[in-house]
Amino acid sequence: REPLPHLCSSVFICGFSLSLLGCLPAASAQTMTTRITDAPADARVLERTIDIRIEADGRMTRKERRIIEFLTDFAQEVYADPVVVYDSATQRLTIDVARTTEPDGTVQDTPEIGINELSLPELMTAPAFASVRETVVTHVGIHPGAKAELAWTLEDTAPPPDGIAGGEIALQWAIPIERFELRVSVPDGVPFLSGTAGDVPRADVQSRDGRTEYVWRLEHLQAVNLFESPVHGDVQSGDPDGPRVSFSTQPDLATVLRSMREVADAAAVPDDSIRAMVEEIRGEAPTSAQWIEAAQAFVGGDLATVHLPPGLPFREPSVAGQVLRRSGGTELEKAVLLTTVL
């Protein structure tokens, strides 16, 4: 019977060791070990082109192509799985090219299993926005010196409200861009307004085949400073603050504001659920000042705010009562609800 204490100790040690192993992160979640490098950046974009074709009814077809050269091991963690976000309710996405050219010239196409459409994690609790999807493309054969090419087409399947098209394109990214070209074309006779922010050259304008095309070309764009610039999306989205081009087929700002006001007015319709909420709040806030403060606190703090990724087509806000019943909405929807309540 003497060995029994030793057996118990062995069992305790084994159990303790297994519990420690259980605390370790999965292999896929562990940080990759990288080699010391003198590369000027983890990766760089050799070429990025965006071609946007606007139709008379406002539908847009956007074709984008980019080639990324990987310079360090760490770049694989960040840029080997690019993401394209879109709204499947009004857009159709097609991946045209997904391939890797290795330093020795070997070309590997991304297999079908490496292209997956997913729900956005941040929208999992917002079923009303389930149509917003992301397609993740997993490049193969990625290591320093490899070049990954990705090209896709994003088509509007329905015209936007009032047939007005518009967008905003960030020119910088989290890594340097060697060559960038943006083309936007509209049918002759369709109003087109464009504006730029930052150091952006004037567009080259040419007309042919019944359309007018605006082209912006830039070279040697430095990486945006993510420490000094607030980011609207992640490093994959290419949408940090910085030089950008904005465009619209709306004839003037006054018309834009009028259209937005009409959209908001159509959604600001009180119903029984709104009236019940107003009565409940009024019972606890007898004065006007208390009532306004309580309404703002309820809509602004108690209801969830849905943050949609940048670059999606404009979504008309749901009616105020629906936003209240689902306990959340976008910033615009919550603003419309607060207006309705007050």
Side-chain angles (χ1 to χ4, degrees), residues 61-65 84-86 88 91-98 115 117 135 137 150-157:
T61 299
R62 170 172 171 161
K63 292 180 175 290
E64 180 161 350
R65 175 177 178 264
V84 183
V85 179
Y86 67 104
S88 61
Q91 295 179 302
R92 177 171 53 247
L93 173 66
T94 304
I95 302 297
D96 301 315
V97 177
I115 302 175
E117 180 182 296
T135 291
V137 179
L150 179 63
W152 69 89
T153 301
L154 194 56
E155 304 171 84
D156 288 345
T157 56

Side-chain angles (χ1 to χ4, degrees), residues 8-84:
C8 294
S9 299
S10 300
V11 171
F12 173 78
I13 292 172
C14 291
F16 182 71
S17 301
L18 289 173
S19 66
L20 287 179
L21 289 174
C23 295
L24 292 175
S28 60
Q30 296 183 34
T31 303
M32 178 184 295
T33 301
T34 60
R35 295 182 291 268
I36 296 176
T37 176
D38 58 357
D42 291 307
R44 61 175 178 169
V45 180
L46 300 179
E47 179 180 349
R48 186 186 184 192
T49 59
I50 301 175
D51 190 331
I52 299 175
R53 180 185 175 92
I54 302 176
E55 305 300 341
D57 61 0
R59 286 178 297 115
M60 291 194 299
T61 299
R62 170 172 171 161
K63 292 180 175 290
E64 180 161 350
R65 175 177 178 264
R66 66 188 183 208
I67 301 175
I68 296 179
E69 181 182 19
F70 290 77
L71 304 177
T72 68
D73 295 306
F74 176 74
Q76 179 178 348
E77 293 189 28
V78 184
Y79 303 105
D81 302 280
V83 175
V84 183

Side-chain angles (χ1 to χ4, degrees), residues 178-198:
E178 296 300 315
R179 192 175 78 84
F180 181 93
E181 181 177 281
L182 169 63
R183 294 176 176 268
V184 183
S185 70
V186 296
D188 290 343
V190 173
F192 184 80
L193 298 177
S194 66
T196 60

